[in-house]
Amino acid sequence: MAATVRRQRPRRLACWALMAVLLADLLALSDTLAVMSVDLGSESMKVAIVKPGVPMEIVLNKESRRKTPVTVTLKENERFFGDSAASMAIKNPKATLRYFQHLLGKQENNPHVALYRARFPEHELGFDPQRQTVYFQISPQLQFSPEEVLSMLLNYSRSLAEDFAEQPIKDAVITVPAFFNQAERRAVLQAARMAGLKVLQLINDNTATALSYGVFRRKDINSTAQNIMFYDMGAGSTVCTIVTYQTVKTKDAGMQPQLQIRGVGFDRTLGGLEMELRLREHLAGIFNEQRKGQRAKDVRENPRAMAKLLREANRLKTILSANADHMAQIEGLMDDVDFKAKVTRAEFEELCADLFERVPGPVQQALQSAEMKLDEIEQVILVGGATRVPRVQEVLLKAVGKEELGKNINADEAAAVGAVYQAAALSKAFKVKPFVVRDAVIYPILVEFTREVEEEPGVRSLKHNKRVLFGRMGPYPQRKVITFNRYNHDFDFHINYGDLGFLGPEDLRVFGSQNLTTVKLKGVGESFKKYPDYESKGIKAHFNLDESGVLSLDRVEAVFETLVEDSPEEESTLTKLGNTISSLFGGGTTQDTKENGTDTVQEEEEGPAEGSKAEPGEQAELREEAEAPTEDTSPPPPPEPKGDAAPEGEEAAEKDNGEKPEAQKPSEKGEAGAEGVPPAPEEEKKQKPARKQRMVEEIGVELVVLDLPDLRQDELARSAQKLQDLTLRDLEKQEREKAANSLEAFIFETQDKLHQPEYQEVSTEEQREDISGRLRAASTWLEDEGFGATTVMLKEKLTELRKLCQGLFFRVEERKKWPERLSALDNLLNHSSMFLTGARLIPEMDQIFTEVEMTTLEKVINETWAWKNATVAEQAKLPATEKPVLLSKDIEAKMMALDREVQYLLNKAKFAKPRPRPKDKNGTRAEPPLNASASDQGDKVIPPAGQTEDAKPISEPEQETRSEPADSEPLELGGPAAESEQKEQPTGQKPTLKNDEL
């Protein structure tokens, strides 16, 4: 029994620990009541939110539009975003930054950097020698990296979401193109960190679109796989995705719908922007041809003129999608010369003929990566704005061989809606219907290392090894472990991209470095010296490819094992607590590992290690994670190693880790077993006289990033501070503009009011002239010196003018309130008087109010009447230009005092109980009161005992010897013929009381 009690105590402690974790999560919900998603496109972005009562709503910007241009204008003293910045592109094209996402994660020698310079020659790109990247050189004082510009835009999107949600927002899901590599994804995360956003996930925009499609068609998804192709052509790129929908059985929620990314194909430069640039070049050529012979400059050398032409090209592309031809018109294109030219759809299609030939390319890539044929695709759905071009649809329809293309999805907002649904699912503040998402790895990742091998006796050579860590089109997120078995000293290994043969030569150059990281391990030799008597189980490197598709090395450990004799001592409470918590959180199960896609990759040359049998790698890796809480990571001091557990505790830990209770064969080790009550100690001693003890030693890791160095912490903090200062400057500027607008509006409104009759009635000519003169002086000051005035000065000037006009405005407002307030006071006085009269007419036997209460009410009524009459008479004697003595606040105070007295009596009547009637000696009839008339007594018939006068007759008790008919009229309290006699109510019967008759 004592042993049972001791076993229950750790479980009790574990429950308390679990409750503490849940309580901490609940307390954190106050900051996560709303989440947002940002669909970052090349040309525009869409922001969506989820908050209590608002499921998945697209945020409107300040211009009440559902999408916002991805444009930022940076000037010396101000910034503009969205539509305001887009309008500034004509006036100041150098300071207006667009399509800057194409520079994220790119080094200076990347072809995309050269392409950006060719497309937008007005921007000056500086070179950062430390990171080998570029930055925008707007002026000698203004220098911003692409990450900083993106951070400004993310901060602006959060301000839009917060204004729409009317509460602060920190959690967000951001969409990125599916072809973004590790450097580009880390750049987006750094930008979000600068903006102070907590990124729940970087979701691929094609995955977000597929999720949005599936969420609204849950009923159509069943166990039969449905293959849908999404063709997304946006402004900057094109992505084709093959998605499989079907229901799968999950561990916690049963059968749930799932989407799995099966194949992805893309073209980084095929999009609407390239079409617009070619159309702009065509218009520029026409304009130059029209001015030929006038010795005019080339329009391509004028940034403002080219910005106007690009805007007109965008409009032309949209109109030509629905019309055969259109007239391009630009007023004052250059040197005050207007431009006008007719452009046909045929000309446009001829300009972009080679672009349309590239339309089927992503489809073929997606089919190859999915290892599928077009016959297996059930439907092709169009996404993205550029798919509205008729020629694109014609070529795509011919390429896929379908009867028609699906257009049953919002091409602009699908990704934003899917991303915000994922944000709600990841947030702790919302509970959504489960939808399993299995994204796919686009670029394979492998581990490379070199070790010495002895091919012949005495001849040693170096052998280069490659192990695939995350294969192409493999699912993620997932964790993997690689074990190095043949190292007993410090060594290095490399993390690189795998086979990228599916990319063309140009795409490979744009891709950048194919080497990710070099990992240098420190302390391997020391760990072997620390445990000389232990058997090495290898150096284990734990990798994590998280939900955002970002690879990280969690830790590297040296694992050692030895056999130790079991001790009959009882396991410690701390060990029991660890085992119990491990079982509570499912640490010992292995069934969900396949759902999570977890796998273990081991070295080919290694000998049999833990779990190194013919079993799935998922189980071995997850069991290793589950055993971590029970491992003893400290060195074993002689004579008794630390962490040596008793047989009972060891058996319980093994069962929690999924082993069977019976003695097993080596091939059965690692399989899932039933979790139950531990066997008796005697039986356990016979089965396992010795057990394995694992020791884990942390290995030092030094990472050398090879693709694109991340910003150092001090640089990241400096950039965040710089952006925060800009935000504060913008807020101060907005506050100053608000103060100036308020002052100007007050001056104009007051000048207008001075000529209105209601204001002239309560003011003299001298007063109006004084106010008007002060207003004119303030208006002159605002025009002459207002531009240099601070926010404090503007607010002080406004306060001074308001104080000057306070008396005038007060008199007008009081006169407007008098009729309504006096009418309400008269109504209340009349009703209170009627109530008091009715209360005094209640017979003494039924009276529920005391004389003091009625006298108090009467006093308040009389005092209010007297105050009202006297104040109104006094106010009538005063001129309108003087301060009134009849104030609306005094009327409201009198009404509140009177209403308080009446409400007190009404509440008393509502809950009052009738007084019991006195009985005579025979218990049949009470004596009438002295003030009852003879006629009243003669006409009234007394009902039977225990029955009200207006109730039906009931049967009398057996001991009652007499009864009288109950045919009297109902008794009305307060009426002219009120009866004071009433029989006593029977026990348990509530009296009938009509409050509305009082």
Side-chain angles (χ1 to χ4, degrees), residues 170-188:
K170 293 184 179 179
D171 298 345
V173 168
I174 303 174
T175 68
V176 294
F179 52 77
F180 262 24
N181 56 27
Q182 294 293 311
E184 293 167 314
R185 293 175 186 271
R186 295 200 307 270
V188 176

Side-chain angles (χ1 to χ4, degrees), residues 386-400:
T387 56
R388 298 186 177 97
V389 176
R391 186 61 178 165
V392 172
Q393 298 183 14
E394 293 175 9
V395 176
L396 180 60
L397 187 61
K398 183 178 179 180
V400 299

Side-chain angles (χ1 to χ4, degrees), residues 287 290 330-340:
F287 183 74
Q290 291 176 352
I330 302 177
E331 183 178 354
L333 176 57
M334 189 175 70
D335 298 334
D336 295 330
V337 177
D338 298 339
F339 172 65
K340 189 174 184 181

